[in-house]
Amino acid sequence: MHASVKQTKAYDFKTQDIKVLKKLLPYLFKMRGRVILATLFLISAKLANVAVPVLLKEIVDNLDQTNVLLILPLGLLLAYGALRLASSLFNELRDAIFAKVRYHAMHLIALGVFKHLHTLDLSFHLDRRIGGITRDIDRGTQSVSTLLSIFVFNILPSFFEICLVIGLLWINYGVFFSGISLLTVTFYIGLTLAITTWRMKYRYQMNDMQSEANTNAVDSLINYETVKYFNREDFEVNRYDKTMGRWEQVATKSFTSMTALNFVQGAVIAVGVTLILIAAAEGVVEQSLSLGDMIMIQALLLQLFMPLGSLGIVYRQIKHNFIDMNNMFDLLDKTPKVAQNEQAPSLNVDKGKIEFKKVSFAYPGKDPVLNDINFSIESGQKVAIVGASGSGKSTLAKLLFRFFDVSSGQILFDDQDIKALSLSSVQSAMGVVPQDTVMFNESIFYNIAYGKQGATQQEVEKVAKLAFIDEFINQLPQGYETLVGERGLKLSGGEKQRLAIARVLLKNPPILIFDEATSALDSYSEKMVQKALNLLSEQHTTLVIAHRLSTIVDADKIIVLGQGKIQESGSHTELLKAHGEYAKLWQLQAKSSTTE
């Protein structure tokens, strides 16, 4: 609650609204032809609409004659009907023309945000709350549509119509009628803006609490199994209930303050209309105005104050939408911490040699994880990294894939500094089989074929066979069309790992990274996965982050990390003879296996 209030105070409406408008205008400029045409139809509709009371006056005055033979003013009546029809037609044409502008802008903005989120680095996605982000994007894109509709269908027509009505009153009935009307409009707008701006703090708090509740709900449902394992259903429900309870209190305050605003608006209009009608009635009594004038003034006032009646709601919607759009555009303001130079040259893959030269790295706000790391992986070699938890093993893999950039030093790929190359070309040259393999909630075919755009059924089946997963797939009732569930929850750990290996086989990159790919598997699954990994690494330069030492005894070189530094390196046999850290780890795991 306190955080929400603080955020509300920090929101500078004028500055932020201008920023949002500047970001929105380029999308409208792309459809400027339609915008201009829609505006012309808008003006035509309002001219026809304001001309209706003028014709109505003429009709009434023609009929309000007692001393002459009445003649049906058929031409005026037909013109009246034609103006009504024209107003409706121009309004519909405006709506039809502008629909493309509104939805195209929504499309482009949503696409831009989605694309930008994929350019942000791993640190952003580790800190993100996915429920809050999806909610911000959804509210933001809907706000684009609402805001454009309000401006084209409410604000511009109302402003133009108010100018026309006050102008007509001034020309036909003098300063008093137009002056009272203008004062009423000015008071109404001024009070509406002032009170609505004061009420905006409630809306901002409601947004924050709704995002928090949505984020908690998404997190809870994604981690459904964990919730069940620890019997925390009541805790999750209570947490959601507390947030929604706070939202309910603020929402109630927002609604009750709105009723006060509605009363103030109604009072201003009532006073203004009453004064004008009294003056018009006096004019009719004194015969300075005709009955037609009285009806025309009343009709014009209706056209003047009807759009004003919804101005409070419209203004609140505008401010709400500015806030929602600002939250979405804030995502576009996020910049990736991993530098991406668009002019950078692409990686030129020759042999597939990797070299770490004096590499040091620290996560933001934390102590260094790696200090002065030096080693190389020759073309076709298999190099394993081992060490205690937190020693920096997985960080090496993330630096090589450029999820992060080194704090100092260089990582060379065929003697090319990967920091100076285009990010996509570096990442295209690598295939990763992570410890925690996550699948899309799609079919098995989709998840394997993700490794290569346009992959055929034959190619997918071939790599599934090489990954020793084809037999399992063929036993399923729907085969390759079987859905794997959210994050692949319908599959076991070993099945997901073998699917991940098949996917990397399909990509077939020169560099392979195995990040503890078998550490969480049972013995059978580990054997199957290890068999697939060995097959995969035969023709590639391979970096293996290992937990189980038995899986990397055939490595060309084993590097032992400790406290962010290389403690020792060599082959399995050489390290055992050295009786160092690796030998201790080997004995420890051997003892553990014997005990089991």
Side-chain angles (χ1 to χ4, degrees), residues 369-397:
V369 180
L370 300 171
N371 286 296
D372 199 31
I373 300 296
N374 292 278
F375 70 90
S376 62
I377 310 173
E378 298 299 326
S379 176
Q381 271 194 337
K382 178 179 179 180
V383 172
I385 309 290
V386 301
S389 180
S391 60
K393 302 188 299 296
S394 293
T395 300
L396 279 174

mmCIF file of all heavy atoms in Angstrom, residues 369-397:
data_model
loop_
_atom_site.group_PDB
_atom_site.id
_atom_site.type_symbol
_atom_site.label_atom_id
_atom_site.label_comp_id
_atom_site.label_asym_id
_atom_site.label_seq_id
_atom_site.Cartn_x
_atom_site.Cartn_y
_atom_site.Cartn_z
ATOM 1 N N VAL A 369 32.515 -13.219 -9.135
ATOM 2 C CA VAL A 369 32.283 -14.667 -9.202
ATOM 3 C C VAL A 369 33.482 -15.348 -9.843
ATOM 4 O O VAL A 369 33.855 -16.457 -9.456
ATOM 5 C CB VAL A 369 31.006 -14.966 -10.020
ATOM 6 C CG1 VAL A 369 30.757 -16.459 -10.111
ATOM 7 C CG2 VAL A 369 29.805 -14.271 -9.406
ATOM 8 N N LEU A 370 34.082 -14.669 -10.834
ATOM 9 C CA LEU A 370 35.242 -15.214 -11.540
ATOM 10 C C LEU A 370 36.382 -14.203 -11.496
ATOM 11 O O LEU A 370 36.156 -13.003 -11.654
ATOM 12 C CB LEU A 370 34.888 -15.527 -12.998
ATOM 13 C CG LEU A 370 33.766 -16.556 -13.238
ATOM 14 C CD1 LEU A 370 33.382 -16.588 -14.698
ATOM 15 C CD2 LEU A 370 34.213 -17.944 -12.770
ATOM 16 N N ASN A 371 37.605 -14.706 -11.295
ATOM 17 C CA ASN A 371 38.788 -13.834 -11.232
ATOM 18 C C ASN A 371 39.895 -14.384 -12.115
ATOM 19 O O ASN A 371 40.396 -15.483 -11.882
ATOM 20 C CB ASN A 371 39.314 -13.734 -9.785
ATOM 21 C CG ASN A 371 38.416 -12.872 -8.919
ATOM 22 O OD1 ASN A 371 38.273 -11.674 -9.158
ATOM 23 N ND2 ASN A 371 37.792 -13.476 -7.920
ATOM 24 N N ASP A 372 40.245 -13.624 -13.162
ATOM 25 C CA ASP A 372 41.411 -13.929 -13.985
ATOM 26 C C ASP A 372 41.417 -15.384 -14.474
ATOM 27 O O ASP A 372 42.357 -16.144 -14.235
ATOM 28 C CB ASP A 372 42.689 -13.632 -13.179
ATOM 29 C CG ASP A 372 43.903 -13.477 -14.094
ATOM 30 O OD1 ASP A 372 43.714 -13.020 -15.245
ATOM 31 O OD2 ASP A 372 45.012 -13.810 -13.652
ATOM 32 N N ILE A 373 40.355 -15.751 -15.196
ATOM 33 C CA ILE A 373 40.214 -17.115 -15.725
ATOM 34 C C ILE A 373 40.886 -17.213 -17.089
ATOM 35 O O ILE A 373 40.606 -16.420 -17.994
ATOM 36 C CB ILE A 373 38.719 -17.502 -15.849
ATOM 37 C CG1 ILE A 373 38.036 -17.447 -14.482
ATOM 38 C CG2 ILE A 373 38.563 -18.879 -16.486
ATOM 39 C CD1 ILE A 373 38.564 -18.445 -13.481
ATOM 40 N N ASN A 374 41.764 -18.212 -17.234
ATOM 41 C CA ASN A 374 42.463 -18.431 -18.502
ATOM 42 C C ASN A 374 42.416 -19.911 -18.871
ATOM 43 O O ASN A 374 42.902 -20.758 -18.116
ATOM 44 C CB ASN A 374 43.941 -18.009 -18.392
ATOM 45 C CG ASN A 374 44.109 -16.512 -18.241
ATOM 46 O OD1 ASN A 374 44.088 -15.760 -19.195
ATOM 47 N ND2 ASN A 374 44.265 -16.073 -16.990
ATOM 48 N N PHE A 375 41.795 -20.222 -20.007
ATOM 49 C CA PHE A 375 41.865 -21.586 -20.546
ATOM 50 C C PHE A 375 41.353 -21.544 -21.981
ATOM 51 O O PHE A 375 40.739 -20.560 -22.419
ATOM 52 C CB PHE A 375 41.067 -22.588 -19.701
ATOM 53 C CG PHE A 375 39.580 -22.433 -19.770
ATOM 54 C CD1 PHE A 375 38.820 -23.108 -20.722
ATOM 55 C CD2 PHE A 375 38.902 -21.617 -18.861
ATOM 56 C CE1 PHE A 375 37.440 -22.983 -20.784
ATOM 57 C CE2 PHE A 375 37.530 -21.476 -18.914
ATOM 58 C CZ PHE A 375 36.797 -22.159 -19.873
ATOM 59 N N SER A 376 41.603 -22.607 -22.720
ATOM 60 C CA SER A 376 41.149 -22.665 -24.105
ATOM 61 C C SER A 376 40.554 -24.040 -24.401
ATOM 62 O O SER A 376 40.881 -25.033 -23.732
ATOM 63 C CB SER A 376 42.303 -22.386 -25.074
ATOM 64 O OG SER A 376 43.319 -23.373 -24.937
ATOM 65 N N ILE A 377 39.662 -24.075 -25.370
ATOM 66 C CA ILE A 377 39.063 -25.329 -25.847
ATOM 67 C C ILE A 377 39.392 -25.414 -27.338
ATOM 68 O O ILE A 377 38.891 -24.611 -28.131
ATOM 69 C CB ILE A 377 37.535 -25.349 -25.641
ATOM 70 C CG1 ILE A 377 37.159 -24.957 -24.201
ATOM 71 C CG2 ILE A 377 36.965 -26.723 -25.989
ATOM 72 C CD1 ILE A 377 35.662 -24.807 -23.987
ATOM 73 N N GLU A 378 40.246 -26.341 -27.693
ATOM 74 C CA GLU A 378 40.640 -26.489 -29.086
ATOM 75 C C GLU A 378 39.496 -27.071 -29.912
ATOM 76 O O GLU A 378 38.559 -27.670 -29.366
ATOM 77 C CB GLU A 378 41.879 -27.393 -29.203
ATOM 78 C CG GLU A 378 43.122 -26.852 -28.509
ATOM 79 C CD GLU A 378 43.597 -25.520 -29.067
ATOM 80 O OE1 GLU A 378 43.437 -25.309 -30.299
ATOM 81 O OE2 GLU A 378 44.115 -24.690 -28.299
ATOM 82 N N SER A 379 39.571 -26.869 -31.194
ATOM 83 C CA SER A 379 38.531 -27.364 -32.094
ATOM 84 C C SER A 379 38.329 -28.868 -31.915
ATOM 85 O O SER A 379 39.295 -29.641 -31.947
ATOM 86 C CB SER A 379 38.924 -27.065 -33.546
ATOM 87 O OG SER A 379 37.989 -27.615 -34.429
ATOM 88 N N GLY A 380 37.073 -29.283 -31.697
ATOM 89 C CA GLY A 380 36.752 -30.698 -31.547
ATOM 90 C C GLY A 380 37.002 -31.245 -30.162
ATOM 91 O O GLY A 380 36.699 -32.412 -29.893
ATOM 92 N N GLN A 381 37.539 -30.447 -29.258
ATOM 93 C CA GLN A 381 37.820 -30.921 -27.896
ATOM 94 C C GLN A 381 36.562 -30.914 -27.036
ATOM 95 O O GLN A 381 35.611 -30.175 -27.284
ATOM 96 C CB GLN A 381 38.872 -30.039 -27.220
ATOM 97 C CG GLN A 381 40.302 -30.479 -27.439
ATOM 98 C CD GLN A 381 41.251 -29.789 -26.486
ATOM 99 O OE1 GLN A 381 40.968 -28.713 -25.945
ATOM 100 N NE2 GLN A 381 42.400 -30.386 -26.265
ATOM 101 N N LYS A 382 36.620 -31.747 -25.993
ATOM 102 C CA LYS A 382 35.579 -31.760 -24.973
ATOM 103 C C LYS A 382 36.228 -31.357 -23.658
ATOM 104 O O LYS A 382 37.092 -32.074 -23.145
ATOM 105 C CB LYS A 382 34.959 -33.152 -24.867
ATOM 106 C CG LYS A 382 33.886 -33.282 -23.790
ATOM 107 C CD LYS A 382 33.313 -34.697 -23.783
ATOM 108 C CE LYS A 382 32.259 -34.865 -22.717
ATOM 109 N NZ LYS A 382 31.700 -36.235 -22.712
ATOM 110 N N VAL A 383 35.838 -30.197 -23.142
ATOM 111 C CA VAL A 383 36.404 -29.677 -21.889
ATOM 112 C C VAL A 383 35.300 -29.618 -20.848
ATOM 113 O O VAL A 383 34.203 -29.112 -21.117
ATOM 114 C CB VAL A 383 37.025 -28.280 -22.094
ATOM 115 C CG1 VAL A 383 37.434 -27.669 -20.765
ATOM 116 C CG2 VAL A 383 38.223 -28.368 -23.030
ATOM 117 N N ALA A 384 35.593 -30.149 -19.665
ATOM 118 C CA ALA A 384 34.611 -30.173 -18.577
ATOM 119 C C ALA A 384 35.012 -29.197 -17.482
ATOM 120 O O ALA A 384 36.196 -29.028 -17.185
ATOM 121 C CB ALA A 384 34.499 -31.579 -18.007
ATOM 122 N N ILE A 385 34.018 -28.548 -16.893
ATOM 123 C CA ILE A 385 34.228 -27.641 -15.759
ATOM 124 C C ILE A 385 33.553 -28.256 -14.542
ATOM 125 O O ILE A 385 32.347 -28.552 -14.569
ATOM 126 C CB ILE A 385 33.605 -26.238 -16.016
ATOM 127 C CG1 ILE A 385 34.054 -25.684 -17.369
ATOM 128 C CG2 ILE A 385 33.945 -25.297 -14.885
ATOM 129 C CD1 ILE A 385 35.484 -25.288 -17.457
ATOM 130 N N VAL A 386 34.313 -28.456 -13.476
ATOM 131 C CA VAL A 386 33.748 -29.015 -12.242
ATOM 132 C C VAL A 386 34.103 -28.093 -11.078
ATOM 133 O O VAL A 386 34.972 -27.235 -11.181
ATOM 134 C CB VAL A 386 34.269 -30.443 -11.973
ATOM 135 C CG1 VAL A 386 33.921 -31.375 -13.123
ATOM 136 C CG2 VAL A 386 35.781 -30.446 -11.734
ATOM 137 N N GLY A 387 33.421 -28.319 -9.979
ATOM 138 C CA GLY A 387 33.681 -27.501 -8.798
ATOM 139 C C GLY A 387 32.470 -27.466 -7.895
ATOM 140 O O GLY A 387 31.376 -27.937 -8.250
ATOM 141 N N ALA A 388 32.665 -26.913 -6.713
ATOM 142 C CA ALA A 388 31.577 -26.841 -5.745
ATOM 143 C C ALA A 388 30.482 -25.891 -6.227
ATOM 144 O O ALA A 388 30.696 -25.068 -7.115
ATOM 145 C CB ALA A 388 32.122 -26.370 -4.390
ATOM 146 N N SER A 389 29.306 -25.998 -5.637
ATOM 147 C CA SER A 389 28.197 -25.115 -5.975
ATOM 148 C C SER A 389 28.575 -23.661 -5.674
ATOM 149 O O SER A 389 29.136 -23.364 -4.618
ATOM 150 C CB SER A 389 26.962 -25.510 -5.154
ATOM 151 O OG SER A 389 25.891 -24.664 -5.460
ATOM 152 N N GLY A 390 28.304 -22.771 -6.634
ATOM 153 C CA GLY A 390 28.635 -21.362 -6.443
ATOM 154 C C GLY A 390 30.039 -20.990 -6.849
ATOM 155 O O GLY A 390 30.471 -19.850 -6.656
ATOM 156 N N SER A 391 30.765 -21.938 -7.441
ATOM 157 C CA SER A 391 32.160 -21.659 -7.826
ATOM 158 C C SER A 391 32.261 -20.894 -9.147
ATOM 159 O O SER A 391 33.331 -20.424 -9.513
ATOM 160 C CB SER A 391 32.953 -22.971 -7.913
ATOM 161 O OG SER A 391 32.366 -23.835 -8.878
ATOM 162 N N GLY A 392 31.131 -20.766 -9.885
ATOM 163 C CA GLY A 392 31.132 -19.995 -11.134
ATOM 164 C C GLY A 392 31.058 -20.834 -12.389
ATOM 165 O O GLY A 392 31.283 -20.330 -13.492
ATOM 166 N N LYS A 393 30.712 -22.126 -12.260
ATOM 167 C CA LYS A 393 30.681 -23.022 -13.424
ATOM 168 C C LYS A 393 29.643 -22.556 -14.458
ATOM 169 O O LYS A 393 29.957 -22.353 -15.627
ATOM 170 C CB LYS A 393 30.349 -24.458 -12.979
ATOM 171 C CG LYS A 393 31.300 -25.053 -11.959
ATOM 172 C CD LYS A 393 31.023 -26.522 -11.715
ATOM 173 C CE LYS A 393 29.627 -26.802 -11.172
ATOM 174 N NZ LYS A 393 29.384 -26.211 -9.840
ATOM 175 N N SER A 394 28.400 -22.399 -13.995
ATOM 176 C CA SER A 394 27.335 -21.988 -14.924
ATOM 177 C C SER A 394 27.533 -20.565 -15.435
ATOM 178 O O SER A 394 27.117 -20.234 -16.554
ATOM 179 C CB SER A 394 25.962 -22.102 -14.232
ATOM 180 O OG SER A 394 25.658 -23.453 -13.966
ATOM 181 N N THR A 395 28.199 -19.738 -14.642
ATOM 182 C CA THR A 395 28.472 -18.364 -15.071
ATOM 183 C C THR A 395 29.371 -18.359 -16.306
ATOM 184 O O THR A 395 29.187 -17.548 -17.218
ATOM 185 C CB THR A 395 29.131 -17.564 -13.928
ATOM 186 O OG1 THR A 395 28.237 -17.543 -12.816
ATOM 187 C CG2 THR A 395 29.439 -16.140 -14.359
ATOM 188 N N LEU A 396 30.344 -19.279 -16.350
ATOM 189 C CA LEU A 396 31.208 -19.390 -17.529
ATOM 190 C C LEU A 396 30.389 -19.653 -18.787
ATOM 191 O O LEU A 396 30.617 -19.052 -19.840
ATOM 192 C CB LEU A 396 32.227 -20.522 -17.326
ATOM 193 C CG LEU A 396 33.469 -20.209 -16.489
ATOM 194 C CD1 LEU A 396 34.284 -21.479 -16.265
ATOM 195 C CD2 LEU A 396 34.329 -19.154 -17.183
ATOM 196 N N ALA A 397 29.404 -20.559 -18.664
ATOM 197 C CA ALA A 397 28.557 -20.884 -19.811
ATOM 198 C C ALA A 397 27.713 -19.677 -20.228
ATOM 199 O O ALA A 397 27.547 -19.405 -21.423
ATOM 200 C CB ALA A 397 27.651 -22.072 -19.465
#
